[in-house]
Amino acid sequence: MGRFIFGFVIGAAIGAVAVLATTPQSGDELRQGLTASLETGQKTLAERLDAATAAFRQASAATEQDLWNGLSQACAETLRYINIGVRQSGGFAARLRTP
């Protein structure tokens, strides 16, 4: 594990030196370019996150409505079956009078 980390750090350092040595820009220009790229990336990421959040909210609202509709239908059906059972048994009052 220690060898891997050492190799990774050395490789990153060599890569950074190679990039800086081969870029035709000065350090300030390079920093400005990197900053501009990062800002653009941040804006793009923020836009994507906003779009994903909006899509999630829309999907969850639709799912919530589907759940409420299903619950409402199940309750209505249950009440219908209870009503049928009460009618077939002669009603609650008839059952209370019989010992």
Side-chain angles (χ1 to χ4, degrees):
M1 183 71 171
R3 290 177 144 184
F4 174 78
I5 293 173
F6 179 73
F8 182 79
V9 170
I10 295 297
I14 291 172
V17 169
V19 167
L20 291 174
T22 58
T23 55
Q25 301 170 340
S26 70
D28 288 337
E29 291 173 341
L30 181 62
R31 278 190 288 279
Q32 289 174 354
L34 288 174
T35 302
S37 294
L38 287 174
E39 287 173 356
T40 303
Q42 261 184 332
K43 288 177 186 175
T44 303
L45 180 61
E47 290 169 357
R48 287 182 179 178
L49 285 174
D50 288 342
T53 302
F56 175 76
R57 285 183 180 155
Q58 184 179 8
S60 67
T63 301
E64 180 182 10
Q65 188 60 45
D66 290 343
L67 289 171
W68 280 115
N69 289 341
L71 179 62
S72 176
Q73 288 174 356
C75 288
E77 187 174 328
T78 301
L79 289 174
R80 187 171 59 85
Y81 283 124
I82 290 171
N83 194 19
I84 290 170
V86 168
R87 281 191 215 145
Q88 288 176 351
S89 70
F92 286 122
R95 293 183 70 104
L96 291 175
R97 280 186 249 139
T98 34

